[in-house]
């Protein structure tokens, strides 16, 4: 069974940085794309950033120039480097893998459990 495990969340002051990691485990051949979403209290979940297996990336306008997504295909791990953090970045951040091909089946959509990021002084 394929699972995603996020790490790296925490409390940081405005202007600070954090790096989130998301590791996919299981007998995985390939993953089409990996994404980071976030959900703030009382708000809908929003797509923050996407990276494809070929390395193509895109970002929400609210994080462009501040966040960088990267991926280690050999480790089936995706990272989100977050800089110049603002209080409005406070949310639970979720990792999502799309098009996961494992030894037993194809998973259209796999989600991690989420990691809390709090930006506050």
């Amino acid at each position: 069974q394929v699972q995603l495990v996020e790490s790296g969340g925490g409390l940081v002051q405005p202007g600070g940085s954090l790096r989130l990691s998301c590791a996919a485990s299981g007998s995985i051949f390939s993953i089409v794309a990996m994404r980071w979403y976030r959900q703030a209290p009382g708000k809908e979940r929003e797509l923050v950033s996407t990276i494809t297996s070929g390395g193509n990336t895109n970002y929400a306008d609210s994080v462009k120039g501040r966040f960088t997504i990267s991926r280690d295909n050999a480790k089936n791990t995706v990272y989100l480097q977050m800089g110049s953090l603002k209080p409005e970045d406070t949310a639970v951040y979720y990792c999502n893998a799309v098009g996961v091909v494992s030894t037993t089946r194809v998973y259209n959509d796999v989600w991690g459990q989420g990691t809390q990021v709090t930006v506050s002084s």
Side-chain angles (χ1 to χ4, degrees), residues 22-80:
C22 171
S25 63
S27 299
I28 298 171
F29 285 131
S30 63
I31 302 174
V32 171
M34 299 188 79
R35 296 170 173 161
W36 287 99
Y37 285 80
R38 66 186 181 186
Q39 187 166 21
K43 294 188 177 181
E44 294 186 355
R45 190 172 296 190
E46 66 167 336
L47 176 61
V48 175
S49 185
T50 301
I51 186 166
T52 67
S53 59
N56 294 318
T57 61
N58 57 51
Y59 300 90
D61 288 343
S62 59
V63 306
K64 279 181 182 176
R66 300 188 298 120
F67 291 10
T68 301
I69 192 170
S70 60
R71 178 173 174 171
D72 185 333
N73 288 334
K75 296 181 179 179
N76 291 317
T77 299
V78 64
Y79 306 96
L80 186 68

